[in-house]
PDB file of all heavy atoms in Angstrom:
ATOM      1  N   ARG Z   1      18.657  13.433  -4.042  1.00 88.00           N
ATOM      2  CA  ARG Z   1      18.941  11.997  -4.156  1.00 88.00           C
ATOM      3  C   ARG Z   1      17.698  11.141  -4.343  1.00 88.00           C
ATOM      4  O   ARG Z   1      17.816   9.967  -4.716  1.00 88.00           O
ATOM      5  CB  ARG Z   1      19.688  11.532  -2.898  1.00 88.00           C
ATOM      6  CG  ARG Z   1      21.036  12.173  -2.726  1.00 88.00           C
ATOM      7  CD  ARG Z   1      21.596  11.935  -1.329  1.00 88.00           C
ATOM      8  NE  ARG Z   1      21.723  10.529  -1.013  1.00 88.00           N
ATOM      9  CZ  ARG Z   1      21.963  10.060   0.197  1.00 88.00           C
ATOM     10  NH1 ARG Z   1      22.078  10.898   1.218  1.00 88.00           N
ATOM     11  NH2 ARG Z   1      22.074   8.764   0.420  1.00 88.00           N
ATOM     12  N   TYR Z   2      16.518  11.708  -4.094  1.00 94.00           N
ATOM     13  CA  TYR Z   2      15.322  10.875  -4.108  1.00 94.00           C
ATOM     14  C   TYR Z   2      14.174  11.527  -4.863  1.00 94.00           C
ATOM     15  O   TYR Z   2      14.172  12.740  -5.100  1.00 94.00           O
ATOM     16  CB  TYR Z   2      14.876  10.587  -2.662  1.00 94.00           C
ATOM     17  CG  TYR Z   2      15.916   9.885  -1.846  1.00 94.00           C
ATOM     18  CD1 TYR Z   2      16.641  10.563  -0.876  1.00 94.00           C
ATOM     19  CD2 TYR Z   2      16.182   8.526  -2.035  1.00 94.00           C
ATOM     20  CE1 TYR Z   2      17.624   9.919  -0.122  1.00 94.00           C
ATOM     21  CE2 TYR Z   2      17.148   7.865  -1.290  1.00 94.00           C
ATOM     22  CZ  TYR Z   2      17.866   8.570  -0.333  1.00 94.00           C
ATOM     23  OH  TYR Z   2      18.819   7.919   0.399  1.00 94.00           O
ATOM     24  N   THR Z   3      13.206  10.697  -5.212  1.00 96.00           N
ATOM     25  CA  THR Z   3      11.987  11.139  -5.870  1.00 96.00           C
ATOM     26  C   THR Z   3      10.817  10.844  -4.935  1.00 96.00           C
ATOM     27  O   THR Z   3      10.757   9.781  -4.305  1.00 96.00           O
ATOM     28  CB  THR Z   3      11.774  10.395  -7.210  1.00 96.00           C
ATOM     29  OG1 THR Z   3      12.906  10.652  -8.053  1.00 96.00           O
ATOM     30  CG2 THR Z   3      10.508  10.870  -7.911  1.00 96.00           C
ATOM     31  N   ILE Z   4       9.893  11.784  -4.840  1.00 96.00           N
ATOM     32  CA  ILE Z   4       8.705  11.622  -3.989  1.00 96.00           C
ATOM     33  C   ILE Z   4       7.517  11.327  -4.894  1.00 96.00           C
ATOM     34  O   ILE Z   4       7.237  12.071  -5.832  1.00 96.00           O
ATOM     35  CB  ILE Z   4       8.444  12.876  -3.143  1.00 96.00           C
ATOM     36  CG1 ILE Z   4       9.704  13.215  -2.315  1.00 96.00           C
ATOM     37  CG2 ILE Z   4       7.249  12.666  -2.217  1.00 96.00           C
ATOM     38  CD1 ILE Z   4       9.706  14.609  -1.750  1.00 96.00           C
ATOM     39  N   VAL Z   5       6.855  10.222  -4.610  1.00 97.00           N
ATOM     40  CA  VAL Z   5       5.802   9.732  -5.495  1.00 97.00           C
ATOM     41  C   VAL Z   5       4.495   9.553  -4.709  1.00 97.00           C
ATOM     42  O   VAL Z   5       4.497   9.027  -3.593  1.00 97.00           O
ATOM     43  CB  VAL Z   5       6.199   8.362  -6.111  1.00 97.00           C
ATOM     44  CG1 VAL Z   5       5.133   7.872  -7.080  1.00 97.00           C
ATOM     45  CG2 VAL Z   5       7.542   8.462  -6.818  1.00 97.00           C
ATOM     46  N   GLU Z   6       3.397   9.994  -5.319  1.00 98.00           N
ATOM     47  CA  GLU Z   6       2.070   9.709  -4.776  1.00 98.00           C
ATOM     48  C   GLU Z   6       1.510   8.505  -5.515  1.00 98.00           C
ATOM     49  O   GLU Z   6       1.556   8.451  -6.734  1.00 98.00           O
ATOM     50  CB  GLU Z   6       1.151  10.914  -4.952  1.00 98.00           C
ATOM     51  CG  GLU Z   6      -0.221  10.739  -4.320  1.00 98.00           C
ATOM     52  CD  GLU Z   6      -1.088  11.957  -4.506  1.00 98.00           C
ATOM     53  OE1 GLU Z   6      -1.778  12.044  -5.545  1.00 98.00           O
ATOM     54  OE2 GLU Z   6      -1.072  12.846  -3.633  1.00 98.00           O
ATOM     55  N   VAL Z   7       1.030   7.525  -4.756  1.00 98.00           N
ATOM     56  CA  VAL Z   7       0.570   6.264  -5.325  1.00 98.00           C
ATOM     57  C   VAL Z   7      -0.869   6.001  -4.917  1.00 98.00           C
ATOM     58  O   VAL Z   7      -1.222   6.172  -3.751  1.00 98.00           O
ATOM     59  CB  VAL Z   7       1.455   5.087  -4.843  1.00 98.00           C
ATOM     60  CG1 VAL Z   7       0.890   3.747  -5.333  1.00 98.00           C
ATOM     61  CG2 VAL Z   7       2.894   5.247  -5.311  1.00 98.00           C
ATOM     62  N   GLN Z   8      -1.685   5.577  -5.877  1.00 97.00           N
ATOM     63  CA  GLN Z   8      -3.038   5.128  -5.568  1.00 97.00           C
ATOM     64  C   GLN Z   8      -3.183   3.659  -5.943  1.00 97.00           C
ATOM     65  O   GLN Z   8      -2.904   3.266  -7.075  1.00 97.00           O
ATOM     66  CB  GLN Z   8      -4.090   5.954  -6.319  1.00 97.00           C
ATOM     67  CG  GLN Z   8      -4.737   6.994  -5.419  1.00 97.00           C
ATOM     68  CD  GLN Z   8      -6.051   7.489  -5.974  1.00 97.00           C
ATOM     69  OE1 GLN Z   8      -6.136   7.868  -7.125  1.00 97.00           O
ATOM     70  NE2 GLN Z   8      -7.077   7.488  -5.142  1.00 97.00           N
ATOM     71  N   LEU Z   9      -3.603   2.855  -4.981  1.00 95.00           N
ATOM     72  CA  LEU Z   9      -3.769   1.432  -5.229  1.00 95.00           C
ATOM     73  C   LEU Z   9      -5.076   1.133  -5.937  1.00 95.00           C
ATOM     74  O   LEU Z   9      -6.140   1.614  -5.524  1.00 95.00           O
ATOM     75  CB  LEU Z   9      -3.754   0.671  -3.899  1.00 95.00           C
ATOM     76  CG  LEU Z   9      -2.392   0.312  -3.295  1.00 95.00           C
ATOM     77  CD1 LEU Z   9      -2.595  -0.401  -1.976  1.00 95.00           C
ATOM     78  CD2 LEU Z   9      -1.582  -0.542  -4.250  1.00 95.00           C
ATOM     79  N   MET Z  10      -5.004   0.352  -6.988  1.00 93.00           N
ATOM     80  CA  MET Z  10      -6.196  -0.124  -7.670  1.00 93.00           C
ATOM     81  C   MET Z  10      -6.529  -1.556  -7.243  1.00 93.00           C
ATOM     82  O   MET Z  10      -7.662  -2.005  -7.336  1.00 93.00           O
ATOM     83  CB  MET Z  10      -6.003  -0.060  -9.195  1.00 93.00           C
ATOM     84  CG  MET Z  10      -5.459   1.276  -9.693  1.00 93.00           C
ATOM     85  SD  MET Z  10      -6.473   2.684  -9.225  1.00 93.00           S
ATOM     86  CE  MET Z  10      -7.844   2.446 -10.342  1.00 93.00           C
ATOM     87  N   THR Z  11      -5.508  -2.291  -6.812  1.00 93.00           N
ATOM     88  CA  THR Z  11      -5.684  -3.635  -6.267  1.00 93.00           C
ATOM     89  C   THR Z  11      -4.922  -3.676  -4.941  1.00 93.00           C
ATOM     90  O   THR Z  11      -4.079  -2.824  -4.681  1.00 93.00           O
ATOM     91  CB  THR Z  11      -5.131  -4.722  -7.220  1.00 93.00           C
ATOM     92  OG1 THR Z  11      -3.758  -4.422  -7.509  1.00 93.00           O
ATOM     93  CG2 THR Z  11      -5.928  -4.786  -8.496  1.00 93.00           C
ATOM     94  N   GLY Z  12      -5.188  -4.671  -4.120  1.00 91.00           N
ATOM     95  CA  GLY Z  12      -4.551  -4.749  -2.816  1.00 91.00           C
ATOM     96  C   GLY Z  12      -3.798  -6.042  -2.638  1.00 91.00           C
ATOM     97  O   GLY Z  12      -4.255  -6.945  -1.933  1.00 91.00           O
ATOM     98  N   ARG Z  13      -2.632  -6.139  -3.230  1.00 95.00           N
ATOM     99  CA  ARG Z  13      -1.827  -7.363  -3.166  1.00 95.00           C
ATOM    100  C   ARG Z  13      -0.727  -7.231  -2.104  1.00 95.00           C
ATOM    101  O   ARG Z  13      -0.331  -6.124  -1.723  1.00 95.00           O
ATOM    102  CB  ARG Z  13      -1.191  -7.677  -4.518  1.00 95.00           C
ATOM    103  CG  ARG Z  13      -2.140  -7.683  -5.704  1.00 95.00           C
ATOM    104  CD  ARG Z  13      -3.265  -8.664  -5.538  1.00 95.00           C
ATOM    105  NE  ARG Z  13      -4.096  -8.732  -6.741  1.00 95.00           N
ATOM    106  CZ  ARG Z  13      -5.292  -9.274  -6.792  1.00 95.00           C
ATOM    107  NH1 ARG Z  13      -5.828  -9.807  -5.691  1.00 95.00           N
ATOM    108  NH2 ARG Z  13      -5.987  -9.302  -7.912  1.00 95.00           N
ATOM    109  N   HIS Z  14      -0.202  -8.366  -1.688  1.00 95.00           N
ATOM    110  CA  HIS Z  14       0.870  -8.412  -0.702  1.00 95.00           C
ATOM    111  C   HIS Z  14       2.101  -7.668  -1.209  1.00 95.00           C
ATOM    112  O   HIS Z  14       2.602  -7.943  -2.293  1.00 95.00           O
ATOM    113  CB  HIS Z  14       1.223  -9.890  -0.432  1.00 95.00           C
ATOM    114  CG  HIS Z  14       2.380 -10.084   0.494  1.00 95.00           C
ATOM    115  ND1 HIS Z  14       3.655 -10.366   0.039  1.00 95.00           N
ATOM    116  CD2 HIS Z  14       2.468 -10.037   1.847  1.00 95.00           C
ATOM    117  CE1 HIS Z  14       4.462 -10.500   1.077  1.00 95.00           C
ATOM    118  NE2 HIS Z  14       3.772 -10.313   2.170  1.00 95.00           N
ATOM    119  N   HIS Z  15       2.570  -6.681  -0.431  1.00 97.00           N
ATOM    120  CA  HIS Z  15       3.768  -5.899  -0.774  1.00 97.00           C
ATOM    121  C   HIS Z  15       3.673  -5.281  -2.174  1.00 97.00           C
ATOM    122  O   HIS Z  15       4.701  -5.057  -2.828  1.00 97.00           O
ATOM    123  CB  HIS Z  15       5.041  -6.754  -0.689  1.00 97.00           C
ATOM    124  CG  HIS Z  15       5.417  -7.142   0.709  1.00 97.00           C
ATOM    125  ND1 HIS Z  15       6.555  -7.866   0.984  1.00 97.00           N
ATOM    126  CD2 HIS Z  15       4.825  -6.917   1.909  1.00 97.00           C
ATOM    127  CE1 HIS Z  15       6.643  -8.075   2.294  1.00 97.00           C
ATOM    128  NE2 HIS Z  15       5.578  -7.517   2.875  1.00 97.00           N
ATOM    129  N   GLN Z  16       2.485  -4.973  -2.602  1.00 97.00           N
ATOM    130  CA  GLN Z  16       2.292  -4.557  -3.999  1.00 97.00           C
ATOM    131  C   GLN Z  16       3.088  -3.309  -4.384  1.00 97.00           C
ATOM    132  O   GLN Z  16       3.799  -3.304  -5.393  1.00 97.00           O
ATOM    133  CB  GLN Z  16       0.801  -4.305  -4.282  1.00 97.00           C
ATOM    134  CG  GLN Z  16       0.546  -3.872  -5.717  1.00 97.00           C
ATOM    135  CD  GLN Z  16      -0.913  -3.554  -5.990  1.00 97.00           C
ATOM    136  OE1 GLN Z  16      -1.793  -4.085  -5.324  1.00 97.00           O
ATOM    137  NE2 GLN Z  16      -1.171  -2.705  -6.963  1.00 97.00           N
ATOM    138  N   ILE Z  17       2.957  -2.240  -3.603  1.00 98.00           N
ATOM    139  CA  ILE Z  17       3.649  -0.996  -3.954  1.00 98.00           C
ATOM    140  C   ILE Z  17       5.153  -1.204  -3.929  1.00 98.00           C
ATOM    141  O   ILE Z  17       5.870  -0.766  -4.834  1.00 98.00           O
ATOM    142  CB  ILE Z  17       3.244   0.131  -2.984  1.00 98.00           C
ATOM    143  CG1 ILE Z  17       1.738   0.425  -3.088  1.00 98.00           C
ATOM    144  CG2 ILE Z  17       4.047   1.399  -3.273  1.00 98.00           C
ATOM    145  CD1 ILE Z  17       1.239   1.427  -2.051  1.00 98.00           C
ATOM    146  N   ARG Z  18       5.621  -1.898  -2.917  1.00 98.00           N
ATOM    147  CA  ARG Z  18       7.064  -2.148  -2.775  1.00 98.00           C
ATOM    148  C   ARG Z  18       7.596  -2.926  -3.976  1.00 98.00           C
ATOM    149  O   ARG Z  18       8.632  -2.573  -4.562  1.00 98.00           O
ATOM    150  CB  ARG Z  18       7.315  -2.901  -1.478  1.00 98.00           C
ATOM    151  CG  ARG Z  18       6.857  -2.157  -0.253  1.00 98.00           C
ATOM    152  CD  ARG Z  18       6.819  -3.036   0.999  1.00 98.00           C
ATOM    153  NE  ARG Z  18       8.150  -3.481   1.400  1.00 98.00           N
ATOM    154  CZ  ARG Z  18       8.385  -4.231   2.470  1.00 98.00           C
ATOM    155  NH1 ARG Z  18       7.377  -4.619   3.244  1.00 98.00           N
ATOM    156  NH2 ARG Z  18       9.629  -4.585   2.769  1.00 98.00           N
ATOM    157  N   ALA Z  19       6.880  -3.980  -4.352  1.00 98.00           N
ATOM    158  CA  ALA Z  19       7.349  -4.835  -5.447  1.00 98.00           C
ATOM    159  C   ALA Z  19       7.239  -4.143  -6.800  1.00 98.00           C
ATOM    160  O   ALA Z  19       8.156  -4.224  -7.631  1.00 98.00           O
ATOM    161  CB  ALA Z  19       6.548  -6.136  -5.455  1.00 98.00           C
ATOM    162  N   GLN Z  20       6.126  -3.449  -7.043  1.00 98.00           N
ATOM    163  CA  GLN Z  20       5.929  -2.826  -8.361  1.00 98.00           C
ATOM    164  C   GLN Z  20       6.876  -1.652  -8.580  1.00 98.00           C
ATOM    165  O   GLN Z  20       7.422  -1.490  -9.683  1.00 98.00           O
ATOM    166  CB  GLN Z  20       4.472  -2.388  -8.522  1.00 98.00           C
ATOM    167  CG  GLN Z  20       3.524  -3.541  -8.782  1.00 98.00           C
ATOM    168  CD  GLN Z  20       2.179  -3.061  -9.284  1.00 98.00           C
ATOM    169  OE1 GLN Z  20       1.344  -2.632  -8.495  1.00 98.00           O
ATOM    170  NE2 GLN Z  20       1.961  -3.132 -10.594  1.00 98.00           N
ATOM    171  N   LEU Z  21       7.083  -0.818  -7.574  1.00 98.00           N
ATOM    172  CA  LEU Z  21       8.003   0.302  -7.750  1.00 98.00           C
ATOM    173  C   LEU Z  21       9.427  -0.202  -7.968  1.00 98.00           C
ATOM    174  O   LEU Z  21      10.165   0.321  -8.799  1.00 98.00           O
ATOM    175  CB  LEU Z  21       7.931   1.244  -6.548  1.00 98.00           C
ATOM    176  CG  LEU Z  21       6.684   2.103  -6.445  1.00 98.00           C
ATOM    177  CD1 LEU Z  21       6.706   2.934  -5.150  1.00 98.00           C
ATOM    178  CD2 LEU Z  21       6.527   3.046  -7.649  1.00 98.00           C
ATOM    179  N   SER Z  22       9.798  -1.236  -7.220  1.00 98.00           N
ATOM    180  CA  SER Z  22      11.126  -1.822  -7.420  1.00 98.00           C
ATOM    181  C   SER Z  22      11.275  -2.383  -8.831  1.00 98.00           C
ATOM    182  O   SER Z  22      12.303  -2.172  -9.492  1.00 98.00           O
ATOM    183  CB  SER Z  22      11.362  -2.930  -6.389  1.00 98.00           C
ATOM    184  OG  SER Z  22      12.581  -3.581  -6.619  1.00 98.00           O
ATOM    185  N   HIS Z  23      10.252  -3.075  -9.297  1.00 98.00           N
ATOM    186  CA  HIS Z  23      10.276  -3.654 -10.649  1.00 98.00           C
ATOM    187  C   HIS Z  23      10.392  -2.558 -11.700  1.00 98.00           C
ATOM    188  O   HIS Z  23      10.993  -2.776 -12.772  1.00 98.00           O
ATOM    189  CB  HIS Z  23       9.019  -4.477 -10.867  1.00 98.00           C
ATOM    190  CG  HIS Z  23       9.004  -5.226 -12.164  1.00 98.00           C
ATOM    191  ND1 HIS Z  23       9.790  -6.328 -12.400  1.00 98.00           N
ATOM    192  CD2 HIS Z  23       8.284  -5.019 -13.314  1.00 98.00           C
ATOM    193  CE1 HIS Z  23       9.558  -6.784 -13.628  1.00 98.00           C
ATOM    194  NE2 HIS Z  23       8.666  -6.010 -14.207  1.00 98.00           N
ATOM    195  N   ALA Z  24       9.846  -1.376 -11.397  1.00 97.00           N
ATOM    196  CA  ALA Z  24       9.908  -0.243 -12.332  1.00 97.00           C
ATOM    197  C   ALA Z  24      11.224   0.508 -12.230  1.00 97.00           C
ATOM    198  O   ALA Z  24      11.421   1.522 -12.901  1.00 97.00           O
ATOM    199  CB  ALA Z  24       8.739   0.700 -12.079  1.00 97.00           C
ATOM    200  N   GLY Z  25      12.144   0.013 -11.388  1.00 97.00           N
ATOM    201  CA  GLY Z  25      13.467   0.633 -11.277  1.00 97.00           C
ATOM    202  C   GLY Z  25      13.578   1.681 -10.212  1.00 97.00           C
ATOM    203  O   GLY Z  25      14.566   2.426 -10.163  1.00 97.00           O
ATOM    204  N   ALA Z  26      12.565   1.774  -9.328  1.00 97.00           N
ATOM    205  CA  ALA Z  26      12.558   2.814  -8.307  1.00 97.00           C
ATOM    206  C   ALA Z  26      12.205   2.223  -6.946  1.00 97.00           C
ATOM    207  O   ALA Z  26      11.101   2.453  -6.414  1.00 97.00           O
ATOM    208  CB  ALA Z  26      11.577   3.923  -8.689  1.00 97.00           C
ATOM    209  N   PRO Z  27      13.114   1.432  -6.326  1.00 98.00           N
ATOM    210  CA  PRO Z  27      12.806   0.858  -5.022  1.00 98.00           C
ATOM    211  C   PRO Z  27      12.595   1.924  -3.957  1.00 98.00           C
ATOM    212  O   PRO Z  27      13.181   3.018  -4.031  1.00 98.00           O
ATOM    213  CB  PRO Z  27      14.051   0.013  -4.713  1.00 98.00           C
ATOM    214  CG  PRO Z  27      15.132   0.586  -5.556  1.00 98.00           C
ATOM    215  CD  PRO Z  27      14.469   1.100  -6.793  1.00 98.00           C
ATOM    216  N   ILE Z  28      11.756   1.615  -2.991  1.00 98.00           N
ATOM    217  CA  ILE Z  28      11.465   2.560  -1.909  1.00 98.00           C
ATOM    218  C   ILE Z  28      12.677   2.703  -0.999  1.00 98.00           C
ATOM    219  O   ILE Z  28      13.364   1.721  -0.676  1.00 98.00           O
ATOM    220  CB  ILE Z  28      10.234   2.080  -1.109  1.00 98.00           C
ATOM    221  CG1 ILE Z  28       8.989   2.157  -1.994  1.00 98.00           C
ATOM    222  CG2 ILE Z  28      10.029   2.925   0.144  1.00 98.00           C
ATOM    223  CD1 ILE Z  28       7.764   1.487  -1.394  1.00 98.00           C
ATOM    224  N   LYS Z  29      12.954   3.921  -0.597  1.00 97.00           N
ATOM    225  CA  LYS Z  29      14.091   4.200   0.287  1.00 97.00           C
ATOM    226  C   LYS Z  29      14.000   3.330   1.534  1.00 97.00           C
ATOM    227  O   LYS Z  29      12.976   3.262   2.196  1.00 97.00           O
ATOM    228  CB  LYS Z  29      14.080   5.687   0.680  1.00 97.00           C
ATOM    229  CG  LYS Z  29      15.218   6.114   1.578  1.00 97.00           C
ATOM    230  CD  LYS Z  29      15.120   7.596   1.901  1.00 97.00           C
ATOM    231  CE  LYS Z  29      16.260   8.027   2.815  1.00 97.00           C
ATOM    232  NZ  LYS Z  29      16.184   7.384   4.155  1.00 97.00           N
ATOM    233  N   GLY Z  30      15.108   2.646   1.833  1.00 97.00           N
ATOM    234  CA  GLY Z  30      15.190   1.822   3.020  1.00 97.00           C
ATOM    235  C   GLY Z  30      14.698   0.400   2.855  1.00 97.00           C
ATOM    236  O   GLY Z  30      14.866  -0.424   3.753  1.00 97.00           O
ATOM    237  N   ASP Z  31      14.111   0.074   1.700  1.00 98.00           N
ATOM    238  CA  ASP Z  31      13.483  -1.238   1.509  1.00 98.00           C
ATOM    239  C   ASP Z  31      14.487  -2.235   0.924  1.00 98.00           C
ATOM    240  O   ASP Z  31      14.453  -2.554  -0.263  1.00 98.00           O
ATOM    241  CB  ASP Z  31      12.259  -1.100   0.602  1.00 98.00           C
ATOM    242  CG  ASP Z  31      11.326  -2.289   0.687  1.00 98.00           C
ATOM    243  OD1 ASP Z  31      11.640  -3.245   1.428  1.00 98.00           O
ATOM    244  OD2 ASP Z  31      10.280  -2.277   0.023  1.00 98.00           O
ATOM    245  N   LEU Z  32      15.359  -2.743   1.777  1.00 97.00           N
ATOM    246  CA  LEU Z  32      16.390  -3.665   1.328  1.00 97.00           C
ATOM    247  C   LEU Z  32      15.818  -4.904   0.661  1.00 97.00           C
ATOM    248  O   LEU Z  32      16.400  -5.442  -0.291  1.00 97.00           O
ATOM    249  CB  LEU Z  32      17.268  -4.093   2.519  1.00 97.00           C
ATOM    250  CG  LEU Z  32      18.101  -3.006   3.202  1.00 97.00           C
ATOM    251  CD1 LEU Z  32      18.883  -3.612   4.351  1.00 97.00           C
ATOM    252  CD2 LEU Z  32      19.044  -2.329   2.211  1.00 97.00           C
ATOM    253  N   LYS Z  33      14.674  -5.353   1.153  1.00 97.00           N
ATOM    254  CA  LYS Z  33      14.054  -6.567   0.602  1.00 97.00           C
ATOM    255  C   LYS Z  33      13.744  -6.414  -0.877  1.00 97.00           C
ATOM    256  O   LYS Z  33      13.764  -7.389  -1.643  1.00 97.00           O
ATOM    257  CB  LYS Z  33      12.771  -6.898   1.382  1.00 97.00           C
ATOM    258  CG  LYS Z  33      12.045  -8.135   0.875  1.00 97.00           C
ATOM    259  CD  LYS Z  33      10.897  -8.544   1.798  1.00 97.00           C
ATOM    260  CE  LYS Z  33      11.423  -9.290   2.995  1.00 97.00           C
ATOM    261  NZ  LYS Z  33      10.351  -9.970   3.752  1.00 97.00           N
ATOM    262  N   TYR Z  34      13.479  -5.192  -1.311  1.00 98.00           N
ATOM    263  CA  TYR Z  34      13.106  -4.953  -2.705  1.00 98.00           C
ATOM    264  C   TYR Z  34      14.131  -4.075  -3.434  1.00 98.00           C
ATOM    265  O   TYR Z  34      13.788  -3.367  -4.374  1.00 98.00           O
ATOM    266  CB  TYR Z  34      11.708  -4.356  -2.796  1.00 98.00           C
ATOM    267  CG  TYR Z  34      10.635  -5.378  -2.443  1.00 98.00           C
ATOM    268  CD1 TYR Z  34      10.125  -5.471  -1.152  1.00 98.00           C
ATOM    269  CD2 TYR Z  34      10.182  -6.279  -3.398  1.00 98.00           C
ATOM    270  CE1 TYR Z  34       9.170  -6.433  -0.841  1.00 98.00           C
ATOM    271  CE2 TYR Z  34       9.230  -7.239  -3.095  1.00 98.00           C
ATOM    272  CZ  TYR Z  34       8.730  -7.301  -1.806  1.00 98.00           C
ATOM    273  OH  TYR Z  34       7.779  -8.262  -1.498  1.00 98.00           O
TER     274      TYR Z  34
END
């Protein structure tokens, strides 16, 4: 049911990983906000 992703941050923005993965169509498991 899920995909496991390794992420490296190049910038450090507020909720960056959560927002960008959601925008790419892959929200983080459990992250209702995104």
Side-chain angles (χ1 to χ4, degrees):
R1 296 167 59 192
Y2 300 105
T3 301
I4 305 164
V5 183
E6 184 180 87
V7 175
Q8 258 199 310
L9 277 178
M10 311 303 286
T11 55
R13 309 302 185 195
H14 176 260
H15 290 182
Q16 180 183 334
I17 297 174
R18 300 167 65 178
Q20 284 194 280
L21 287 176
S22 175
H23 186 72
I28 293 170
K29 181 180 180 295
D31 197 359
L32 295 179
K33 179 171 281 193
Y34 289 95

